[in-house]
Amino acid sequence: MTRLIQRGCIKVDLAAVVLSAGLGTRMKSAVPKVVHPLLGKPMVQYVVEALSALKPGKTVVVTGMQGDMVRDALRNYPVSFAVQKEPKGTADALKSAVQKLRGFTGTLLVVSGDTPLIKPATLKAFLKLHRKNRENISLISFIAGGSHSYGRIVRKGDKLSAIVEDSDADEEQKKIREVNSGIYAIEAPLLKLLNKIPVNGSKGEYYLTDIVGMAVGTGCRAGAFLLGNENELTGINTRGDLYRAAQYLRDEIAAGFMEQGVTIMDKASVFVHPESVIGNDTVIYPNVHIEGRTAIGNGCIVYPNSRIIDSTIGNNVIIKDSTVIESSVINEGASVGPFAHIRPGSVIGKHARIGNFVEVKKSVIGSGTKASHLSYLGDAEIGERVNIGAGTITCNYDGRIKYKTLIEDNAFIGSDTQFVAPVRIGKGAYVGAGSTITKDVPPFALATSRTEQKNIEKWALKRQSKRRKR
Ligand code: UD1
Ligand code: CA
């Protein structure tokens, strides 16, 4: 084995393996564990992203049951997949990946798909130490507090000699607080040892952790590097673990935004997904969810109970209480809500106002336009400075096809108007309240379609006297 570690034999090439084929039994779920979202994003994506900072030449993700869900979660990532036919343990999972790495002679970084909070900086520091110390195999260890089931790091003197799994540990070993993170750097020649790992009696699985003791036994250099902390290196096995990791990450994200000049009124009830950004001097009230790739500008206010998903919010926008915004753009100075629903594909213009109980779907609302109350605007293109009266409805769907409503600049739409699309309202036109518009309205015209009002004089008095006679 010493021959293998002689200078020049260890190539610097780097490959990575993500073990993600376990059953995740402790999650009690029909969905593979590594696909469970942590603040909206599948765990395994975090792991693959952290690894990508090290630029591995190849990343192999091991999948098992419902592997298609793992593949789907990683469809936009440059990874390849290996299949572990049966979940026979972490060593067996790594063996499936090694088959995809034929001829590889460099350093193999092995991580678990259930360790999503690992930071790229920790991985970099780890790899550096591994190489500097010329280890054949290394792992990241950390100090675990409270009760847990991590593998214990057994040292002889200060050198790593073995990992003992929780289920196999004796009373003395159980007291060891330094534990295995499940992140390893393994020099390729050592991977041969995978074939020699015996089945573990207690669970009937092949434990990758056994490779450490075997490597040490054959005279290899093995290192355990205490890096990072328990929060970062936490392995997620249960819904409780997932909850704690989400709380930790959420807190970290909120702290980061506060540092950058965002006011978060109640850190404990605000959820900002990791890929969202918020500009400075923006104020986030309690119970706000900012999800996906949302970008919020400077000087905005987001009032309570709002949810913003994959949207772009310009500067100085006000989002009033209980508003939902999905895959849309809200431009500078606009105001949306309370109780508004902006559905995918909408663009709200500068200084526009979308008020109480207004639903906007796949529509463009021009700058300075107001729809302040109780409206449905779907598949509409509305120009600038248009006034949309209360209760305006675009009838955009005939049960088969969606049609467009076009309303040009400066039009004035009276309350309780229905637009039976397709229809166009010319610039500066007026629509009388209570109209059902089925035909185009020329620019600057007035359109009304309600029946003319008829007053019957003294009708109520006559009715009363009739009743009295009866
Ligand atoms: C493992 C380690 C333990 C360590 C802990 C760190 C072993 C035997 N134990 O325990 O020392 O402290 O991680 O979090 O390795 N997997 C497969 N195929 C399988 C089994 C598992 O791909 O047949 C994958 C899982 O999807 C998971 C990872 O390997 O992402 C780790 O498996 P898990 O069952 O979570 O191991 P732990 O019990 O947490
Ligand atoms: Ca685990």
Side-chain angles (χ1 to χ4, degrees):
M1 195 52 69
T2 356
R3 197 166 46 85
L4 293 168
I5 59 162
Q6 271 167 8
R7 216 152 198 264
C9 274
I10 301 170
K11 293 244 172 75
V12 290
D13 302 356
L14 181 71
V17 171
V18 183
L19 305 180
S20 298
L23 284 176
T25 321
R26 292 163 277 185
M27 292 295 276
K28 301 196 169 64
S29 175
V31 173
K33 175 169 71 173
V34 301
V35 175
H36 277 259
L38 180 62
L39 292 190
K41 184 164 133 173
M43 284 189 225
V44 69
Q45 286 186 5
Y46 288 85
V47 175
V48 169
E49 282 171 24
L51 280 172
S52 71
L54 278 76
K55 302 193 173 57
K58 186 166 181 166
T59 300
V60 182
V61 178
V62 186
T63 67
M65 298 268 276
Q66 275 107 16
D68 48 335
M69 290 171 91
V70 180
R71 280 166 187 264
D72 193 47
L74 294 172
R75 66 189 176 283
N76 296 324
Y77 292 78
V79 295
S80 45
F81 296 93
V83 178
Q84 184 191 19
K85 289 197 189 88
E86 282 172 68
K88 291 192 289 188
T90 42
D92 182 70
L94 181 56
K95 252 164 87 176
S96 325
V98 168
Q99 286 165 11
K100 300 268 165 179
L101 291 164
R102 255 179 228 127
F104 174 70
T105 53
T107 309
L108 187 63
L109 207 56
V110 181
V111 297
S112 294
D114 69 355
T115 308
L117 298 178
I118 178 70
K119 291 192 168 91
T122 306
L123 289 174
K124 278 184 186 164
F126 170 55
L127 199 59
K128 209 169 156 187
L129 281 167
H130 168 79
R131 285 174 170 164
K132 191 175 146 230
N133 289 14
R134 297 185 181 287
E135 307 289 0
N136 295 107
I137 181 166
S138 309
L139 60 91
I140 302 183
S141 62
F142 66 94
I143 302 298
S147 67
H148 61 82
S149 60
Y150 293 114
R152 308 302 201 273
I153 299 297
V154 180
R155 290 181 184 265
K156 267 212 185 98
D158 61 353
K159 264 322 252 178
L160 170 65
S161 71
I163 302 169
V164 178
E165 285 305 288
D166 185 59
S167 49
D168 299 330
D170 59 31
E171 283 313 306
E172 276 312 298
Q173 288 166 331
K174 275 197 195 277
K175 287 184 196 149
I176 300 173
R177 290 174 63 227
E178 185 185 13
V179 299
N180 171 28
S181 69
I183 299 170
Y184 315 84
I186 307 174
E187 292 308 313
L190 242 77
L191 294 167
K192 281 191 219 130
L193 292 177
L194 287 174
N195 298 317
K196 297 191 179 149
I197 290 179
V199 69
N200 181 290
S202 61
K203 275 204 190 152
E205 288 186 0
Y206 298 87
Y207 287 175
L208 178 54
T209 43
D210 286 348
I211 198 175
V212 171
M214 289 168 75
V216 172
T218 49
C220 286
R221 290 175 63 85
F225 298 107
L226 253 175
L227 292 165
N229 61 31
E230 185 169 8
N231 287 323
E232 178 188 353
L233 295 164
T234 187
I236 294 175
N237 296 326
T238 63
R239 307 259 179 177
D241 296 336
L242 182 60
Y243 175 80
R244 282 182 288 277
Q247 297 300 315
Y248 171 76
L249 180 60
R250 189 193 61 169
D251 218 53
E252 212 183 34
I253 290 171
F257 282 124
M258 288 194 263
E259 193 126 313
Q260 289 163 36
V262 176
T263 295
I264 294 182
M265 284 191 177
D266 176 22
K267 202 158 70 107
S269 70
V270 165
F271 292 79
V272 185
H273 283 187
E275 276 152 17
S276 290
V277 291
I278 310 174
N280 64 310
D281 285 327
T282 284
V283 179
I284 310 288
Y285 273 68
N287 267 330
V288 167
H289 293 244
I290 297 168
E291 302 185 353
R293 290 173 188 264
T294 290
I296 299 183
N298 303 330
C300 298
I301 306 177
V302 185
Y303 284 102
N305 308 321
S306 294
R307 193 153 76 93
I308 309 169
I309 309 130
D310 290 323
S311 293
T312 303
I313 314 293
N315 296 334
N316 304 314
V317 167
I318 296 185
I319 295 163
K320 294 184 184 162
D321 313 48
S322 300
T323 289
V324 178
I325 301 173
E326 304 169 88
S327 304
S328 289
V329 177
I330 315 291
N331 283 304
E332 190 176 334
S335 136
V336 180
F339 300 99
H341 188 182
I342 311 296
R343 291 171 51 199
S346 299
V347 178
I348 310 298
K350 286 184 184 172
H351 305 286
R353 186 182 161 167
I354 304 296
N356 311 263
F357 305 103
V358 174
E359 175 179 349
V360 179
K361 188 220 95 180
K362 211 175 172 188
S363 292
V364 178
I365 312 290
S367 352
T369 287
K370 290 178 186 158
S372 300
H373 335 265
L374 299 154
S375 289
Y376 171 62
L377 305 171
D379 303 301
E381 252 176 56
I382 303 178
E384 298 183 357
R385 297 172 302 280
V386 171
N387 189 82
I388 303 283
T392 295
I393 291 172
T394 53
C395 311
N396 56 332
Y397 186 47
D398 65 1
R400 248 177 3 104
I401 297 172
K402 303 255 166 77
Y403 298 97
K404 281 191 121 180
T405 300
L406 304 172
I407 304 176
E408 295 178 352
D409 296 349
N410 298 310
F412 185 97
I413 312 303
S415 296
D416 193 26
T417 294
Q418 298 99 57
F419 291 108
V420 182
V423 74
R424 172 192 288 266
I425 313 303
K427 63 180 176 186
Y430 277 67
V431 173
S435 294
T436 301
I437 300 299
T438 53
K439 291 184 288 196
D440 289 358
V441 179
F444 305 107
L446 165 67
T448 56
S449 77
R450 57 188 186 231
T451 53
E452 217 171 292
Q453 185 173 329
K454 194 166 81 176
N455 293 340
I456 303 171
E457 295 292 333
K458 301 203 171 100
W459 181 88
L461 293 175
K462 283 178 200 158
R463 186 172 179 245
Q464 273 172 20
S465 71
K466 252 192 213 165
R467 276 195 183 159
R468 252 183 256 124
K469 276 181 201 157
R470 260 195 253 132

